[in-house]
Amino acid sequence: MTRILFWLALIFLVIAAIRSKLKSASRPPERQPGRSRAAEAPPQAEAMLCCTHCGVHYPASENVVSDGRNYCSPAHAGLPAP
């Protein structure tokens, strides 16, 4: 009789675990509180520019303009253009 109760309990636990996994897999992922959908979006790619002196490509946010030309650093902006 004890063996039958053991096997019934074991089967019940296995079925409960499977149902729990299936239920959690079907639910959409929960968002963290305080985070909006806009915060989850990946950042947009930034435009790249080419340095007039060395030819290295760099992000436009790091641009140094001198005499109407684009440079990657203030050091290159001070050098004569090739």
Side-chain angles (χ1 to χ4, degrees):
M1 182 70 174
T2 308
R3 287 185 189 174
I4 293 173
L5 289 176
F6 170 76
W7 286 109
L8 286 174
L10 183 63
I11 291 170
F12 174 76
L13 290 174
V14 168
I15 290 172
I18 291 172
R19 289 183 76 198
S20 173
K21 285 287 188 183
L22 291 175
K23 187 182 279 188
S24 67
S26 66
R27 271 190 273 157
E30 295 179 19
R31 292 190 303 156
Q32 294 178 352
R35 292 189 70 191
S36 65
R37 290 208 180 252
E40 295 174 4
Q44 296 297 320
E46 189 174 349
M48 300 294 282
L49 300 174
C50 183
C51 179
T52 304
H53 181 75
C54 65
V56 170
H57 287 83
Y58 58 93
S61 63
E62 299 177 13
N63 190 32
V64 177
V65 179
S66 177
D67 296 328
R69 295 186 174 137
N70 297 321
Y71 295 96
C72 62
S73 67
H76 282 181
L79 298 174

